[in-house]
Every structure is written in C-alpha cells, then in structure tokens.
C-alpha cells in the first residue's frame, strides 16, 4: 500500500512539473498572440499576458493597409522558400554524394576546401560586386543562386550518406545502374530524414531573410519579400517614438502602438513556418543524429 501511495506521489510531482514546463514554453507564444490581438493603445498600459484585454483585429488590418505591397511580397517569400529549399537540398545532396564516394580521389581536398568556407568569408562588398558582375541585381535569381550550396548542409548530408551500406551501390552497379540512377533511385530515397531536416533549415532561412532584398533587390518592388515589407513597417513604427503617433504616412488618422504592431508582425512571420514544422518534425532529430553515429 505504501509503495502505491509513493508511486502516485511521484506521478503527481512529474505531472505538476510537466504542466509548469508546458506553461513556460507556451507563455511567450500566447503573450505575443494576445498583444497582437489587443487594442494598441490599451497595450501601452501593460498587463496583457495570455489573453487580449480589449480584443481587436485593428493591428492586422492596419498592418496590411500600411503595407500595400504585402500580397506581392508574400507571393515572393513563398516562391523563394519553396524553390530555394527544393533546389538547395538537391544541389547539396549531389555535392554530398560526390564527397561520400570512396573512389573520388579529390574527396579529402574538396572536404577541406568546403570546411574552410565555413570560417573564411570575403565580406559584403566582394559579395555585392560578384553578384552585380553576374547580373543578378534586381532579379529573382539573387534569392536562389547564392545560397544553393551551404557547407554545413553538405557536411551533414555527407555524414548521413557515409552510414549507408556501400553494398547497395555495388548491387545497383551490378544491375547496370549508372551513378545518376544510383543517386536518384537508391541514395535519395534512403536519405529522406536528413533531406527533410536540411529542407527545413533552408526554408526557415529563406522565409526569414530580408537583408538580401534590401541589398540586392530593393530597386524592384515586384521582388520585395514579406520579411522586408514587415521590416519597413516595423522600422517606421519604431521611429515614431511614442504610442500616440502613427506608423505609416498612409494612416495619419490612426493611432498605433509600435509594441502591438511588432507582435502582429511576429505572428505573421512565424505562423507559416509553424504550420510546416509538424510535418517534418519526425525527420528532424533522426536526420541530424543518424549521420553523426559511427559503429
């Protein structure tokens, strides 16, 4: 009987502890959502925690009214995220496949060169001059081509490929398959966990990126991205200096709180990625760890 009571006591402690962990984890998200849905002037008073005190959609309405280019920017962000993730994963996987081949004589040299690029960079000015010389300024390609190959992603995929049995490739060769067939028909299907993980890395990076738009594509409004447009609205809101002023020249009669606008921007920028993550979560841990374990 005492052991039963002791077990129940431990279960209660664990349950209470997990509830506390869940509350601590969810509170920042609920707080951001509550402030984004609360009246902007009321938000300035403070005291808004996990539920809006004066519920309103005015923050989101004003945000979309201020950012007249948001539909185009949203389209561009989705396109660069989807295309960038797909092309980046494919190129990194092909590079990793070459480096994983034991019969590639320059395997070690290329790996060393790849690692060096992780620590040595030319800087912003050489990057800009290179991209300008390639004719990528104010083109959609500037979002895709510079980031096709990422050294860290290649190394992670290669580490995963190194764990695959070499006999699979040898069997495919005996059956008459060439290297291209082996890569697409044998290697890629087995690399789904790591490819999904890298795809998530690239997608998050593409979705959150705004600096490349500012540097390379701000001369073309049709190439603007969601994060860049939100950054402009947020910068305008913060430059006002007090809660009674406006955050857009187009809304002179509106009163907005920069804090409320910041929360609305955070929700808009975060929700799309949060919707994608659950579908890739089951691959995330395995994709990172499997290639790191050697027997």
């Amino acid at each position: 009987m005492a052991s039963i009571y002791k077990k129940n006591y431990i279960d209660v402690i664990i349950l209470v502890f997990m509830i506390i962990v869940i509350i601590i984890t969810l509170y920042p998200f609920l707080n951001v959502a509550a402030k984004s849905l609360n009246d902007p002037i009321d938000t300035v008073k403070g005291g808004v925690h996990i539920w809006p005190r004066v519920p309103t959609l005015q923050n989101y309405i004003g945000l979309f009214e201020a950012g007249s280019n948001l539909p185009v920017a949203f389209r561009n962000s989705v396109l660069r995220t989807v295309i960038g993730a797909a092309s980046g994963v494919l190129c990194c996987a092909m590079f990793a496949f070459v480096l994983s081949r034991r019969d590639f004589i320059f395997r070690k040299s290329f790996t060393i060169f790849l690692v060096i690029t992780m620590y040595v960079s030319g800087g912003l000015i050489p990057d800009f001059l290179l991209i300008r010389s390639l004719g990528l300024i104010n083109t959609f390609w500037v979002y895709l081509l510079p980031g096709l190959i990422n050294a860290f992603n290649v190394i992670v995929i290669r580490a995963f490929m190194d764990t695959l049995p070499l006999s699979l490739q040898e069997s495919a060769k005996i059956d008459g398959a060439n290297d291209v067939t082996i890569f697409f028909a044998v290697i890629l299907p087995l690399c789904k966990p790591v490819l999904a993980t890298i795809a998530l890395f690239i997608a998050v990076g593409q979705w959150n990126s705004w600096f490349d738009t500012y540097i390379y594509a701000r001369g073309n409004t049709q190439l603007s991205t969601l994060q860049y447009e939100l950054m402009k609205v947020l910068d305008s809101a913060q430059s006002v200096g007090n809660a009674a002023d406006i955050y857009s020249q187009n809304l002179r009669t509106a009163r907005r709180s920069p804090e409320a606008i910041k929360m609305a921007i955070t929700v808009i920028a975060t929700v799309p990625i949060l919707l994608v993550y659950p579908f890739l979560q089951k691959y995330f841990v395995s994709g990172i760890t499997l290639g790191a374990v050697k027997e």
Side-chain angles (χ1 to χ4, degrees):
M1 182 67 70
S3 62
I4 295 177
Y5 283 125
K6 183 178 179 181
K7 181 179 180 181
N8 292 336
Y9 179 73
I10 294 175
D11 290 340
V12 170
I13 294 177
I14 294 175
L15 179 61
V16 172
F17 175 76
M18 294 306 298
I19 291 175
I20 294 174
V21 171
I22 292 174
I23 293 175
I24 294 175
T25 304
L26 291 180
Y27 177 78
F29 298 97
L30 296 177
N31 181 253
V32 169
K35 289 182 177 179
S36 69
L37 293 170
N38 194 63
D39 181 76
I41 303 304
D42 182 73
T43 302
V44 180
K45 302 176 182 178
V48 180
H49 298 292
I50 63 174
W51 193 260
R53 188 164 50 217
V54 184
T56 180
L57 294 175
Q58 191 59 43
N59 295 319
Y60 293 96
I61 295 174
L63 182 61
F64 280 94
E65 288 178 351
S68 59
N69 202 35
L70 282 182
V72 174
F74 182 80
R75 179 202 65 191
N76 291 334
S77 290
V78 172
L79 287 176
R80 70 173 294 182
T81 299
V82 174
I83 300 175
S87 58
V89 167
L90 179 61
C91 291
C92 289
M94 289 190 293
F95 196 176
F97 176 65
V98 174
L99 295 181
S100 68
R101 295 289 299 266
R102 271 74 167 180
D103 54 349
F104 181 51
I105 60 175
F106 298 109
R107 175 184 178 186
K108 185 175 181 181
S109 301
F110 272 72
T111 302
I112 294 175
F113 178 78
L114 192 67
V115 172
I116 291 176
T117 63
M118 297 175 62
Y119 300 97
V120 180
S121 172
L124 180 60
I125 294 178
D127 284 347
F128 179 84
L129 295 177
L130 174 62
I131 290 176
R132 186 179 66 177
S133 65
L134 293 175
L136 299 179
I137 299 295
N138 290 325
T139 67
F140 189 79
W141 293 107
V142 77
Y143 297 144
L144 305 178
L145 296 182
L148 278 180
I149 299 294
N150 180 278
F152 175 78
N153 295 341
V154 172
I155 291 174
V156 171
I157 298 175
R158 177 202 162 176
F160 188 94
M161 289 181 176
D162 285 340
T163 65
L164 301 178
L166 188 61
S167 57
L168 293 175
Q169 298 186 40
E170 295 174 347
S171 300
K173 283 188 176 181
I174 293 175
D175 292 336
N178 56 26
D179 291 333
V180 176
T181 303
I182 292 174
F183 174 71
F184 284 102
V186 178
I187 301 300
L188 281 189
L190 296 175
C191 291
K192 286 182 180 178
V194 71
L195 296 182
T197 302
I198 298 304
L200 183 61
F201 286 163
I202 299 175
V204 171
Q206 289 280 11
W207 180 261
N208 290 331
S209 181
W210 64 269
F211 191 67
D212 51 359
T213 306
Y214 175 73
I215 296 297
Y216 305 122
R218 60 176 174 174
N220 188 347
T221 57
Q222 295 301 309
L223 292 176
S224 185
T225 57
L226 180 64
Q227 303 297 339
Y228 179 62
E229 292 295 324
L230 296 179
M231 184 277 299
K232 290 195 298 183
V233 175
L234 178 60
D235 183 65
S236 180
Q238 292 177 334
S239 66
V240 169
N242 61 77
D245 287 328
I246 59 172
Y247 69 90
S248 171
Q249 298 297 326
N250 298 326
L251 296 173
R252 294 187 178 278
T253 59
R255 293 161 64 85
R256 296 289 183 268
S257 163
E259 181 70 13
I261 296 301
K262 186 188 301 182
M263 296 302 126
I265 289 174
T266 302
V267 171
I268 293 176
T270 305
V271 167
I273 291 297
L274 290 180
L275 295 177
V276 174
Y277 181 76
F279 298 98
L280 301 178
Q281 183 181 12
K282 63 180 180 179
Y283 299 110
F284 192 77
V285 175
S286 60
I288 289 295
T289 58
L290 283 181
V293 178
K294 295 290 185 181
E295 295 184 357

